[in-house]
Amino acid sequence: MRIVAADTGGALLDDAYNPIGLIATVAVLVEKPYRTASLSRAKYADPFNYDMSGRQAIRDEAYLAVELAREVKPDVVHLDSTIGGIEVRKLDEPTIEALGITDRGKEVWKDLSKDLQPLAKKLWEEMGIEIIAIGKWSVPVRIAEIYSGIYTAKWAIEYARKNGKVLVGLPRYMRVDIKPGKIYGESLDPREGGLFGEIEANTKGVSWELYPNPLVRRYMVLEVWKE
Amino acid sequence: MRIVAADTGGALLDDAYNPIGLIATVAVLVEKPYRTASLSRAKYADPFNYDMSGRQAIRDEAYLAVELAREVKPDVVHLDSTIGGIEVRKLDEPTIEALGITDRGKEVWKDLSKDLQPLAKKLWEEMGIEIIAIGKWSVPVRIAEIYSGIYTAKWAIEYARKNGKVLVGLPRYMRVDIKPGKIYGESLDPREGGLFGEIEANTKGVSWELYPNPLVRRYMVLEVWKE
Amino acid sequence: MRIVAADTGGALLDDAYNPIGLIATVAVLVEKPYRTASLSRAKYADPFNYDMSGRQAIRDEAYLAVELAREVKPDVVHLDSTIGGIEVRKLDEPTIEALGITDRGKEVWKDLSKDLQPLAKKLWEEMGIEIIAIGKWSVPVRIAEIYSGIYTAKWAIEYARKNGKVLVGLPRYMRVDIKPGKIYGESLDPREGGLFGEIEANTKGVSWELYPNPLVRRYMVLEVWKE
């Protein structure tokens, strides 16, 4: 099975470890044995000017995933929204009303589906590829999340090189390792069966430290500064 | 403390990783230091013809556990049903009504208790051994679950030797390792303190691969094929 | 950030692994990189005569934390009560009523706040240090919990030396290692990013064994006996 998935993660933090805005939306192509991505594509947000309501993230993820899907022609596209693995092209108002989610979640999806339903319908009609809202059950979505942490580290290196110093928060229970010419990242949850990722990056001219976010158990902070 | 526990696990999967039916019910005897079984006994179901409602599993588990308990005379029997550690011989209708579980769970237990209450009463009266429905809190139940994954691997080897190839899903966050003459399995959750199991098996003539189930995070797929 | 946190943990167990009473309240000072304590202070309860309702624990934790905070002047104090990170000095009746917790939780906090609100107000007015009820999100609270397990091991060694043998239950998913002259402890959850602790202790004259509590998954039992 060849799966394209997308997720958004990594947050710019202030000195008290409070999130200011999210950093990286990533789409990945995941193939058997489903432990890493064979291809990844990132789009950076402006964390200083970010809508934290979550609505922007899922929209960005859908568009980036569709862009990658049109190129690599996967069997299916996974989005990070846990509404029962439903096909996004079928999300009309009555279907959303019938979902077992909160009223607030229904409002969000009624709004989102205005853009995402036509997008999903078009991908289905033109290429026969479904987009499903499978969320936390999907391993490819978790791999996309790990890559969003890796690309966040890349963003942090570039930011520190220009501005001196930066604190970013990685997605849940993952760590990164900044090596010469590349950034490696992996899940800290062994129950996931060894999920990881790696990208090439210019990693010169900075130092870094990784440690637990004292205010959010199971999340790590990456601190990067110019040497 | 000597504990007999039972559980059912391991699923035959189709090519899209959807479960077709469960494979192995296992009863184990667990003794201090409670990390593995000193004795295990398996009963295979027919996964091509399986009632996925869950009612058959708990019934099979109770009968297999009682069979093993009559032999090894443990202090107590643990079943995989999380209804507060209640003694099964006391499960009459008013007691079931008073349980803090869903209405559907109450219906299931009213039906189940017709068989299981007399079974538990008999074991108590003849041997002084209680059967308790302790479920997810019990370490021996988790060890039985790990053994159900190990016996599922054994079933998969035999199936592949006859039919060429098979995909099975292991119970939650566990892995198996197929070695010459034996199958080893262990929990992937280090918080459980190192739970594992091993059985002897004819492991000749097959190759295998273990990888994350892309559709069900924290569950592994075992693929076995004839060499 | 310099954080003082407190927690209570470790339980005396009977031979059937049932808890009799809690053992150690610990306050810790945690500083960057937030993986262990730079200072710890313990107060032992009498587990044979313990109020298991939980009200005594949080009161003891607050007093011990304030005692340590007055000495080491941290930026903030974390208590193990998950009521949204609210400042304890602001916990008057209308604020407690408005919390998103159970009615029973509200009753407990209305009672607790009689002592703890003045305590927190005084610390704030005299030293400018807030006490916040952040609970399970706080890494320093988890480090205090790990230290409560380490001090529980110390208590068990002293008890066994006098009385021959003892069983204690450690806090959730952690292990201890008793070495010559010291006791080491660490989290078994790698998602927490490597939390650990160590104290000096007289560890002579006893043997010990650590194993999973068969009745409470993810909790370990420490058995200590006189050599």
Side-chain angles (χ1 to χ4, degrees), chain B residues 1 3 32-35 78 134-142 190-193 195, chain C residues 15-17 173 188-191 209-220 223:
Chain B
M1 202 181 281
I3 305 160
K32 203 178 143 190
Y34 315 111
R35 281 206 181 83
H78 285 183
I134 178 179
K136 64 178 169 138
W137 289 106
S138 163
V139 167
V141 165
R142 174 62 173 151
R191 299 178 302 169
E192 293 179 343
L195 309 183
Chain C
D15 283 346
Y17 306 112
Y173 36 88
L188 288 172
D189 189 348
R191 298 177 303 169
E209 186 178 6
L210 187 80
Y211 51 84
N213 185 330
L215 306 184
V216 202
R217 210 180 285 187
R218 294 192 288 273
Y219 285 76
M220 303 297 129
E223 199 170 322

Side-chain angles (χ1 to χ4, degrees), chain A residues 7 10 27-28 31 38 42 48 55 58 64 74 105 117 120 123 128 143 150 166 171 178 180 185 196 201 216 223:
Chain A
D7 201 9
V28 292
E31 297 171 286
S38 24
F48 294 100
R55 220 169 292 200
I58 182 90
L64 194 63
Q117 204 205 354
L123 190 70
I143 293 172
I150 297 172
V166 71
I178 300 175
F196 69 96
V216 202
E223 199 171 321

Side-chain angles (χ1 to χ4, degrees), chain A residues 56-193:
Chain A
Q56 192 52 44
I58 182 90
R59 206 177 260 118
D60 288 348
E61 293 159 19
Y63 283 103
L64 194 63
V66 165
E67 202 184 297
L68 183 59
R70 286 187 170 276
E71 242 175 80
V72 302
K73 300 183 180 53
D75 298 304
V76 66
V77 172
H78 286 183
L79 290 190
D80 180 26
S81 178
T82 306
I83 52 173
I86 203 161
E87 295 91 346
V88 174
R89 72 184 162 95
K90 293 179 184 165
L91 278 176
D92 51 20
E93 278 219 19
T95 307
I96 294 170
E97 267 309 327
L99 292 174
I101 59 176
T102 62
D103 283 350
R104 183 157 153 56
K106 288 178 189 174
E107 284 316 306
V108 169
W109 266 103
K110 277 179 203 167
D111 183 29
L112 279 172
S113 66
K114 280 173 204 145
D115 295 336
L116 301 195
Q117 204 205 354
L119 185 79
K121 218 168 159 181
K122 205 157 167 258
L123 190 70
W124 171 253
E125 284 166 0
E126 292 177 12
M127 314 200 57
I129 302 170
E130 285 282 16
I131 303 182
I132 62 176
I134 178 179
K136 62 177 171 138
W137 289 107
S138 162
V139 166
V141 165
R142 173 62 173 153
I143 293 172
E145 186 173 59
I146 291 168
Y147 272 84
S148 76
I150 297 172
Y151 279 101
T152 290
K154 187 180 176 196
W155 182 93
I157 292 169
E158 283 158 21
Y159 185 91
R161 212 182 271 128
K162 273 190 228 134
N163 301 279
K165 198 203 137 177
V166 71
L167 284 184
V168 294
L170 298 183
R172 74 197 68 200
Y173 35 90
M174 69 165 287
R175 67 177 200 91
V176 292
D177 193 359
I178 300 175
K179 307 177 178 187
K182 58 191 179 188
I183 304 171
Y184 173 83
E186 67 179 5
S187 170
L188 288 172
D189 190 348
R191 299 177 302 169
E192 293 178 343

